Structure formats: structure tokens, C-alpha cells
Amino acid sequence: MTNPTTDALAIWHAGVDAVRPKWLMPRAMAGLPAAVKAEIAAAPRILVVGCGKAGAAMAAELEPALGDALERTSGIVNVPAGTERPLARIRLHPARPAGSNHPTAAGVAGAEEMLALLESAGPNDVAICLISGGGSALLPAPAPGISLDDKQAITKLLHASGATIREMNAVRKHLSRVKGGRLAEAFRGKRLISLIVSDVVGDPLDAIASGPTAADPTTFADALAVLDRYRLTAKTPAAVRAHLERGVRGEIPETPKTVRD
């Protein structure tokens, strides 16, 4: 007879081992289509951005997988404090304390650098975005008129309300300059490659880290409906309500419903 505890631990360890970046990153890079590999080889610059709890390990394994292209690589990845380490070309930016799941000013600073980097891309530059679980809190970039305090307040309200991850993301995407495909939207170069480690059942790309490089199926109206459903409207910061209501009226562009590679 097997021991249920031993079996459960073995299953858990097998699952974790299967998604370790030391295996995944070289395999992912080697498995890219030949045309994409050619674009990387020819690109004047490789721009690396990203966020997530696995961000440090993913960046560390991406560097050797880039081969000769590494010397043309630069980037920044937001990671939990304590996981950063010196790398050759990619800077790991501590964006929040390890024990917290709320956006911070340090996270905003990192997101601002990523947006500037992607917006600086030339027509033949290639971007690689590293995304993993926990990225929503690690990559805050409040929309114009929304303060970090506002984002922290609505995040806490949503966490306490019992809202699902999809419902929380519908709100967060519509208060952000990077979530819901807006990070990809900022890229001005030739091709953006997203390498993603999922922490969401079913692997919906728009839900992992609030989908910074994925098309967003939700709307401003959906975000307002979440606040109403959980009776949060009266508790929500006035700037957040006003921003979402402006979006519903069409005064603010919707999140991208399609994104290019």
C-alpha cells in the first residue's frame, strides 16, 4: 500500500520539476520557428521585459539560450525582492516584498522602464517578454488619473470580495497601461515573443499576470459590472470609478482585442 502523503509530495515535486526554467527556456528557444530565429539573429537589439515569481530563473536561463545574440540584448524584469541576482545583460528589478501581493512604487518604476524600452525599439528589433504567476502585482502601471494608492485600494477590495481571478483581472486590466495587451501595444519593433509559465488552470494567456501581451476579451463595462456584483462600487476610489465610467462612454480606448506577434 502506498502512502498518500508520499504520493502527493511526489506528484507535487514532479509538477514543479516539469516547469523549471532550466528545462523550459532552452527548449522554448530551440523550438522557435526558423523564421523567428532568423529575426533574432538579424535584430540590432533584443529587448527583454517581463514580470513574475519565476522571472529571475527565466531570465537567468534565457541569457545562455540567446547565444551570440546576448551581446545585443538588454532588458529589465520585475521580480520579488530577494530573488534578484546579477546577470550579464538583463537587470532583475525587485518590484515588491516577497511576502506581499500588492503593487508598489518600485513595481511602477520597473514598468515605466519597460514601456520606455519597448517604445524605443527600432523597426527590426525583437522583444522577448518573460511572464509567470504573480505578475499582476509585480507589474503595476496605473492609467492616467489613477494613483498607486487607488490601485492598491481596489486590489485589496477585490482580494477581500471573493472575486475570481478573471473578475479581478477585468478590473485591473482597465486601470493599467501595461495589462490586457497594452505592454505589447507599446512595442515598436519587428516581433514580440512571449514566453509564459502558467499558474492558471487551462492556461488562458489573457489571465496569466493579467495578460500584458495577450488580447483582452473583457471591457470597461465588464470591469464596472464586477464592482457592482460584489457591492464594491461605493467603496471604490472615486478616480477608479470615474476612469471606468469614461471608458464605458468611449472616452478612453479599450484594451487591445487583437495583438500582433
Side-chain angles (χ1 to χ4, degrees):
M1 181 179 294
T2 60
N3 184 310
T5 300
T6 301
D7 290 346
L9 283 172
I11 292 168
W12 185 84
H13 283 297
V16 171
D17 288 341
V19 294
R20 288 192 186 279
K22 67 181 296 183
W23 313 119
L24 291 183
M25 298 303 292
R27 188 185 313 158
M29 294 299 291
L32 291 174
V36 177
K37 292 180 181 178
E39 290 172 351
I40 293 173
R45 294 192 300 165
I46 311 298
L47 311 178
V48 179
V49 297
C51 58
K53 295 176 184 176
M58 293 175 76
E61 298 301 334
L62 174 64
E63 286 199 341
L66 285 169
D68 293 342
L70 181 60
E71 64 184 26
R72 292 176 278 117
T73 298
S74 61
I76 174 173
V77 176
N78 278 10
V79 300
T83 66
E84 70 272 21
R85 68 190 85 165
L87 298 179
R89 305 290 296 181
I90 303 168
R91 181 161 58 87
L92 300 178
H93 177 69
R96 64 160 173 76
S100 169
N101 198 34
H102 296 289
T104 67
V108 174
E112 296 280 5
E113 288 193 49
M114 290 181 213
L115 286 168
L117 183 63
L118 294 178
E119 290 168 354
S120 76
N124 292 311
D125 289 341
V126 171
I128 299 176
C129 189
L130 308 178
I131 301 171
S132 59
S136 290
L138 284 161
L139 194 67
I146 306 295
S147 70
L148 179 60
D149 286 343
D150 292 333
K151 286 290 294 288
Q152 290 171 330
I154 192 63
T155 298
K156 290 175 182 177
L157 285 170
L158 289 166
H159 273 297
S161 72
T164 68
I165 185 64
R166 285 187 173 276
E167 291 170 327
M168 291 179 63
N169 284 348
V171 177
R172 292 190 290 198
K173 289 175 183 180
H174 288 88
L175 301 173
S176 175
R177 285 176 290 138
V178 293
K179 294 176 171 64
R182 294 203 189 276
L183 189 67
E185 193 176 47
F187 181 52
R188 298 289 182 263
K190 188 175 186 67
R191 183 182 293 275
L192 185 145
I193 301 161
S194 297
L195 301 178
I196 302 171
V197 177
S198 173
D199 67 336
V200 183
V201 175
D203 306 333
L205 299 185
D206 67 286
I208 304 162
S210 299
T213 61
D216 177 27
T218 69
T219 65
F220 281 103
D222 293 329
L224 274 179
V226 170
L227 300 183
D228 182 62
R229 186 175 304 127
Y230 291 95
R231 300 180 182 178
L232 298 177
T233 305
K235 302 176 184 177
T236 298
V240 170
R241 293 198 308 273
H243 181 83
L244 296 178
E245 289 166 356
R246 287 183 62 208
V248 170
R249 293 194 299 268
E251 298 172 12
I252 301 171
E254 258 294 353
T255 48
K257 304 312 171 192
T258 61
V259 295
R260 66 182 183 89
D261 289 340

